[in-house]
Amino acid sequence: MEAAADQAIAACGGDAREAVRALLVAVDFLEAEADELRTKVSRGYARGLPGARERKDEADV
């Protein structure tokens, strides 16, 4: 983890605040992509995925 943190900071010119900002943007992007993929996966397949029931229950609200 230390090496990954150092790489992220180095990629942002040594600015730790900028590295955190970049990582937050990346997390937002990945969450949006995961949400999109969840909507595209078949329901039969999703039944076997961990957390699939919780997502179905949330959609019923």
Side-chain angles (χ1 to χ4, degrees):
M1 277 297 217
E2 291 296 319
D6 290 341
Q7 287 176 345
I9 293 169
C12 292
D15 186 342
R17 181 180 282 269
E18 190 62 32
V20 169
R21 186 177 295 124
L23 292 170
L24 290 172
V25 168
V27 166
D28 275 348
F29 171 79
L30 292 172
E31 286 178 342
E33 194 167 286
D35 286 342
E36 182 179 338
L37 290 172
R38 275 189 212 102
T39 64
K40 292 180 179 182
V41 70
S42 74
R43 288 179 184 231
Y45 178 77
R47 282 188 211 125
L49 293 177
R53 175 158 311 284
E54 290 84 13
R55 285 192 296 278
K56 179 187 175 295
D57 292 343
E58 289 171 5
D60 293 340
V61 173

